[in-house]
Amino acid sequence: MGAAAGFRHGHLWELPDGTGLHARPGELTVEDATGRLCCHLCGRWYTSLGSHVRAHGYTAESYRAAMDLYAGEPLIARTLSASIRDRQAGRYHRSEELREVFAAGAARLRGRARDVRSRPEPAQRVNRRRAALEAGRRTVATRRAQELAARLGDMTLAEYLRSAYADGASMETLAAVTGLGRVRLRAALDDAGVAVRPVGTNTPEGRRSRALSADRAAAERVGTDDLPTWLADRHTAGWSLVRLAAAVGHSTHWVRWRLERNSAPVLRHLG
């Protein structure tokens, strides 16, 4: 009995002055089944928490401030809030006088709307939004890092960039493989010690890379693994260069060049 009398409940949270709390500060803990709210100070559940906190020496306003809640956060259960709302709505619809009072109040509020909008946003809300945004950025950064690691395998980003760029890969190819935007890609190249080629500089490797990319895109568009044969067969079957160009998503000049490159005759009457 003596041991039980000397037992003190351990609190997971506390106020700056050391007061133990039964619920996390900064939020209201809601009971799923009933919608009742948990008192931070005693841990009991209440339909009207705003009325209960007076037993702890708080007003609703001072309780919200002490527990880091939003200034206008309701301290009543959803069920009670809905009941009050329904009763007030019934009174509003039954009473013309009440509707006139509400209309006059709404007009006054509209007149003060500019003043309300010009007030600075509460620091508490600003800080919470900033924290949420920062958490979101960290989540996105982590996901991008995981996706990049999966693409590159055992290579680091710097190793891949040095190797691929030296082999003539274009900025577009590097961006597609790494998932980096142009600004972040240039920063990564700088960090890897890669000197970016001046705009307009071309290399045989780069030209081959672009040609292969164009071939792959055209082949995927028409659903074939052998684009030269596909072009030659359809041109021989009567497809014009215009029709072939529309099918593969390139110009007629590209189609003509592709046919001639693979020694396929270009039929003049179908050009």
Side-chain angles (χ1 to χ4, degrees):
M1 187 70 177
F7 174 76
R8 295 187 62 185
H9 179 75
H11 297 92
L12 295 178
W13 305 276
E14 62 179 29
L15 294 178
D17 63 4
T19 302
L21 299 179
H22 294 265
R24 185 189 301 276
E27 62 186 52
L28 286 173
T29 302
V30 182
E31 190 176 39
D32 292 335
T34 65
R36 295 185 302 174
L37 307 177
C38 178
C39 175
H40 292 77
L41 297 166
C42 65
R44 296 186 178 90
W45 300 88
Y46 294 93
T47 302
S48 178
L49 184 58
S51 300
H52 161 72
V53 297
R54 289 198 291 268
H56 297 292
Y58 287 88
T59 64
E61 291 76 14
S62 63
Y63 182 82
R64 292 189 188 97
M67 303 306 158
D68 196 27
L69 302 173
Y70 286 136
E73 193 153 14
L75 298 181
I76 58 175
R78 291 190 300 268
T79 51
L80 179 57
S81 178
S83 175
I84 294 173
R85 183 182 64 246
D86 292 343
R87 287 200 304 270
Q88 290 177 339
R91 289 182 57 206
Y92 177 83
H93 290 297
R94 289 192 300 270
S95 172
E96 182 177 353
E97 180 181 357
L98 186 59
R99 290 196 296 274
E100 291 176 353
V101 171
F102 271 90
R108 288 194 297 271
L109 286 175
R110 285 194 295 271
R112 296 201 302 265
R114 285 192 299 272
D115 295 336
V116 172
R117 286 194 295 268
S118 65
R119 293 174 187 169
E121 191 173 6
Q124 178 191 49
R125 185 169 298 174
V126 172
N127 292 336
R128 286 188 182 179
R129 187 172 65 250
R130 286 176 178 170
L133 288 172
E134 184 59 32
R137 292 190 187 101
R138 287 195 297 269
T139 300
V140 171
T142 300
R143 176 174 53 79
R144 284 177 174 169
Q146 292 171 345
E147 292 173 350
L148 182 57
R151 291 193 195 103
L152 301 184
D154 295 332
M155 298 181 71
T156 66
L157 176 60
E159 290 171 344
Y160 167 76
L161 292 176
R162 284 193 290 266
S163 173
Y165 202 67
D167 290 341
S170 66
M171 295 290 285
E172 289 75 13
T173 300
L174 295 178
V177 172
T178 61
L180 300 176
R182 184 169 291 273
V183 173
R184 294 178 63 221
L185 177 58
R186 282 189 172 273
L189 287 167
D190 290 341
D191 293 341
V194 177
V196 179
R197 290 186 292 270
V199 176
T201 301
N202 210 342
T203 65
E205 294 82 1
R207 288 192 292 272
R208 282 196 297 272
S209 175
R210 288 191 292 275
L212 290 173
S213 296
D215 280 2
R216 282 195 298 269
E220 290 175 1
R221 186 182 177 104
V222 297
T224 181
D225 295 328
D226 187 353
L227 183 65
T229 301
W230 187 93
L231 289 170
D233 289 348
R234 276 152 184 77
H235 190 52
T236 302
W239 285 37
S240 67
L241 296 184
V242 173
R243 185 178 178 185
L244 289 172
V248 298
H250 285 282
S251 67
T252 55
H253 297 288
W254 185 90
V255 173
R256 179 186 293 275
W257 167 78
R258 202 66 181 79
L259 288 167
E260 292 174 346
R261 179 184 173 190
N262 291 280
S263 303
V266 178
L267 306 180
R268 292 184 178 277
H269 68 286
L270 295 177

